[in-house]
Amino acid sequence: MNTRGITRRDFLNGVALGVAGSLAPLDVLGGGAGNYPPLLTGMRGSHQGSFEVAHALAWAGQRFERPAELTDDVYDLVVVGGGISGLAAAHYWREARGADARILVLDNHDDIGGHAKRNEFVVDGRTLIGYGGSQSIDTPGEYSEAAKQLLVDVGIDVKAFYDYFDVEFAERFGLGRGIHLRRETYGRDASVADFSGSWGTPPPDDLEAVLAATPLTAAEQAAIRELLTSGRDYLGDRTRAERIAHLKRTSYTEFLRRDARMPERVAALYRDTVKGYWGLGYDAVSALEAYRLGAPGMDGLALDNVAPDGPFRDEPYIFHFPDGNAAVARALLRRLRPDVLAGEGMAGLVAARLDYDALDRRGSACRVRLQSTAVDVRHAANGQAVDVTYVQAGREHRVRGRHAVLACYNNMLPHLCPELPAAQREALEWPEKVPLVYMSIAVRNWRAFAESGFYDFYVPESPLMHSFGLDFPVSIGEYRFTDDPSQPTVIHGSYVPTVPGRGLSGREQHVAGRRRLYETSFAGFESDIVAQMEGALGSAFDAERDIAAITVNRWPHGYAYEYNELFDPPGWGPREGPHVAGRAQLGRISIANSDSEAYAYVDGAIDAAYRAVQEQARPPG
């Protein structure tokens, strides 16, 4: 396949020329694309125009002029960051201070939601919705009371997903999970049923036949069979305490190499199975965590009741809007500004078009100002307010709030707040956010998946896209997930840039991975997407014919850092670690983001907002 042909003839910054003329939001919305960021394709996420000012501030040490006079009104609350945490802070402030409270939300992107990003396409007359970041409402039964109540307040009934999510979709179409072994690594392309046994899933009944169809050697096949079926105890005569200590200080990759004596290619095959969960491969995740996650080779270790450090999660993973948690951000915005997002209920969140031109409408109690990057946050001279300087369209502006909530990246705060104590600066700089990419690939049909018998693929040792497949089968209101392989749909792909094999810690890999991500062009992603999909799906899939558009949601500063027992001190977790000192209240400034909770989930962002507003809303003294 000549990928240069796609770039030259069919694609213009990520969107196929054949569908560009038909781009429009849902039919029920009416109107053209206009100022509607979800329809933009190509390189999105941390898009051009969203990061340059922040990089100039943090990387080059550029100083921006603080206007001598205020360039806007005085607000009751200024929020820096329009993601879920920032919008939740605005919601909680209004709950505490009333509907007349004047709030300004600033965000550096051209869309709301932060990492909760909505992608839209129209292909052959059919509207497709995908997610470009924060994926699902994970285990809402474990949410704090404040976070549970917020979902209720904004009109999200999680029980409804039991009807919205088609749990029988894969079975109805006879689809399973697959593994694609790339010819560049294994000598030839092979797509077979997922035989890994990862995440506690049983191996296929015809394991022998599946392994025989792979390019793995006889010795490698035998090693995998042993790992999956023998129930062998690889830790010998160690006591339970010695076993736990050993597994905590040993990566799962090293456990497979040294304790289970697996061949190198077998250890490498399992390495990336956890990337989408931890933002790292198993070379940088402990063997004890692998035990908790049901990784192969652990059945014989006799370590009952080894609980994870975080909350126990025992609910189905079905709480997913078609646009992921962008719908949560939209629900918060609809609560704050019902005039900018029409529609009712959860179906309205999916179908309605957001009026971006009205977000910053003068006279609105809550205004949202996009493409505005904060560069300086400090208390006013009298200490009774906070001045925020931001850059929009190349010009500095200064706005004042009686209080401020910083719901942006923790690592940026030392560059924004000159008043921060040295110890707090150090604490804020310690974690490293996880770089990641979510790819939304609009295809004109999914016949190739139906013919392959697989709805998604894991791709070991992939240079970029390490997994891809059909999006979640969710239908809400008028938006219906595909029920026919001849229909267009969205393929979701994932890439987490890591640097295995160099002895780097998780934090070091995040830094190096971020650098690698900045160096990868849209053309590089496009080429890899084509190669992976054509390699996995074979002749049934022709990228030039079948791909309609591509959106690459690039997040160099992606999900919040979660403490890693392989590298971090014992006891560090959501309740203890540098993030606790880092989020300390600074007068009329409070910090709210998932970084401040060391927890990369929606409820972490919401809980941080609740805490920050409680700090600022309590009476003085």
Side-chain angles (χ1 to χ4, degrees):
M1 174 68 199
N2 181 0
T3 59
R4 289 178 297 175
I6 289 182
T7 305
R8 181 179 66 249
R9 184 172 66 80
D10 288 332
F11 282 86
L12 177 63
N13 194 29
V15 63
L17 295 175
V19 299
S22 67
L23 286 176
L26 288 172
D27 292 340
V28 298
L29 306 176
N35 177 24
Y36 196 68
L39 282 170
L40 297 176
T41 57
M43 192 72 84
R44 293 290 294 158
S46 184
H47 58 80
Q48 187 174 2
S50 67
F51 56 84
E52 290 85 351
V53 171
H55 284 182
L57 179 69
W59 293 3
Q62 181 176 339
R63 295 299 114 193
F64 294 87
E65 180 181 351
R66 296 177 69 240
E69 302 294 333
L70 294 178
T71 54
D72 198 354
D73 301 329
V74 176
Y75 293 86
D76 297 305
L77 177 71
V78 175
V79 181
V80 177
I84 288 175
S85 196
L87 294 171
H91 164 79
Y92 284 129
W93 188 263
R94 175 170 286 182
E95 293 293 296
R97 295 296 177 92
D100 293 333
R102 301 194 68 249
I103 304 168
L104 175 66
V105 179
L106 300 170
D107 195 87
N108 57 313
H109 296 94
D110 60 10
D111 202 351
I112 66 160
H115 296 138
K117 199 62 63 184
R118 178 179 173 111
N119 295 156
E120 287 188 27
F121 310 91
V122 174
V123 179
D124 299 336
R126 187 181 180 99
T127 296
L128 307 176
I129 299 174
Y131 63 100
S134 184
Q135 188 178 86
S136 299
I137 300 171
D138 187 15
T139 321
E142 298 294 328
Y143 277 22
S144 67
E145 291 306 313
K148 287 179 181 177
Q149 187 60 49
L150 180 140
L151 294 183
V152 172
D153 290 344
V154 300
I156 296 175
D157 177 6
V158 294
K159 296 188 297 296
F161 287 104
Y162 286 92
D163 295 322
Y164 297 152
F165 195 105
D166 186 356
V167 295
E168 298 176 348
F169 176 84
E171 182 180 359
R172 189 165 64 253
F173 285 96
L175 303 176
R177 308 199 70 167
I179 289 182
H180 173 54
L181 303 178
R182 302 168 59 248
R183 64 178 178 275
E184 292 83 356
T185 304
Y186 295 92
R188 65 178 175 85
D189 283 321
S191 294
V192 298
D194 184 355
F195 57 81
S196 68
S198 298
W199 303 94
T201 58
D205 294 336
D206 55 347
L207 177 62
E208 293 287 341
V210 170
L211 290 174
T214 72
L216 297 169
T217 67
E220 290 164 346
Q221 293 179 38
I224 290 172
R225 279 195 299 272
E226 177 194 309
L227 199 65
L228 294 174
T229 63
S230 71
R232 184 176 167 187
D233 183 350
Y234 292 107
L235 295 184
D237 57 0
R238 290 182 175 92
T239 66
R240 186 177 189 276
E242 291 170 338
R243 288 165 180 253
I244 291 175
H246 174 73
L247 294 175
K248 273 189 176 181
R249 64 175 181 262
T250 303
S251 74
Y252 179 58
T253 296
E254 283 304 298
F255 170 85
L256 292 178
R257 286 171 176 158
R258 297 182 181 180
D259 295 311
R261 300 189 179 279
M262 290 289 116
E264 181 59 33
R265 284 211 307 184
V266 173
L269 185 147
Y270 282 98
R271 186 190 67 211
D272 296 340
T273 55
V274 76
K275 265 180 138 181
Y277 184 74
W278 262 102
L280 294 163
Y282 266 131
D283 62 297
V285 174
S286 76
L288 186 62
E289 176 69 354
Y291 180 93
R292 299 183 188 114
L293 297 178
M298 301 296 190
D299 291 347
L301 300 190
L303 292 176
D304 295 338
N305 300 318
V306 177
D309 293 334
F312 179 68
R313 300 188 173 277
D314 191 27
E315 290 180 80
Y317 197 68
I318 62 170
F319 309 105
H320 179 88
F321 284 95
D323 56 355
N325 290 325
V328 178
R330 287 161 65 89
L332 282 160
L333 185 62
R334 185 174 66 182
R335 174 81 170 183
L336 293 163
R337 290 286 306 279
D339 59 308
V340 302
L341 190 66
E344 297 181 359
M346 295 166 72
L349 292 175
V350 175
R353 178 175 182 170
L354 199 160
D355 184 356
Y356 287 86
D357 294 328
L359 285 173
D360 197 18
R361 180 181 288 146
R362 192 168 187 84
S364 301
C366 179
R367 299 171 68 176
V368 179
R369 190 164 298 160
L370 300 176
Q371 302 184 82
S372 302
T373 304
V375 294
D376 187 271
V377 180
R378 65 180 72 192
H379 286 88
N382 63 6
Q384 300 303 302
V386 179
D387 284 352
V388 179
T389 301
Y390 66 93
V391 175
Q392 184 187 62
R395 294 182 56 191
E396 293 94 342
H397 305 262
R398 182 161 65 95
V399 66
R400 176 168 292 175
R402 294 183 178 88
H403 303 266
V405 169
L406 303 184
C408 48
Y409 304 158
N410 262 12
N411 287 165
M412 282 301 300
L413 300 187
H415 304 284
L416 294 179
C417 300
E419 299 168 321
L420 285 171
Q424 187 170 2
R425 288 172 176 271
E426 184 178 354
L428 286 164
E429 290 170 346
W430 193 90
E432 288 292 344
K433 290 180 81 72
V434 179
L436 77 158
V437 176
Y438 278 176
M439 290 157 266
S440 294
I441 306 153
V443 293
R444 293 188 168 89
N445 63 78
W446 52 280
R447 293 190 189 97
F449 285 88
E451 292 179 19
S452 75
F454 304 118
Y455 63 86
D456 74 1
F457 293 91
Y458 161 56
V459 188
E461 299 187 81
S462 171
L464 289 177
M465 189 167 65
H466 57 77
S467 64
F468 67 93
L470 296 171
D471 211 342
F472 290 90
V474 177
S475 299
I476 301 180
E478 295 185 40
Y479 184 78
R480 314 307 296 170
F481 188 72
T482 176
D483 58 2
D484 185 332
S486 67
Q487 296 172 345
T489 194
V490 175
I491 305 302
H492 177 78
S494 299
Y495 167 54
V496 180
T498 59
V499 189
R502 299 186 189 176
L504 300 180
S505 68
R507 291 172 66 237
E508 291 167 334
Q509 287 203 40
H510 295 330
V511 173
R514 182 175 304 119
R515 185 178 303 116
R516 176 174 293 179
L517 185 52
Y518 280 126
E519 295 170 352
T520 305
S521 67
F522 176 79
F525 281 110
E526 177 190 300
S527 177
D528 187 74
I529 288 167
V530 170
Q532 302 286 31
M533 294 184 70
E534 290 192 336
L537 296 167
S539 60
F541 184 81
D542 182 326
E544 191 167 1
R545 177 194 67 205
D546 296 334
I547 294 180
I550 298 172
T551 300
V552 175
N553 299 277
R554 178 185 65 177
W555 302 110
H557 303 273
Y559 291 147
Y561 182 84
E562 296 188 358
Y563 296 113
N564 185 328
E565 67 189 354
L566 188 61
F567 304 106
D568 298 330
W572 282 15
R575 295 179 181 85
E576 180 181 352
H579 70 288
V580 177
R583 71 191 185 198
Q585 181 180 357
L586 184 68
R588 289 179 175 249
I589 301 170
S590 284
I591 296 170
N593 50 49
S594 56
D595 297 339
S596 69
E597 300 293 312
Y599 192 62
Y601 294 87
V602 169
D603 52 325
I606 295 172
D607 287 341
Y610 182 77
R611 169 186 46 76
V613 169
Q614 291 296 304
E615 291 173 355
Q616 292 300 316
R618 67 169 65 105

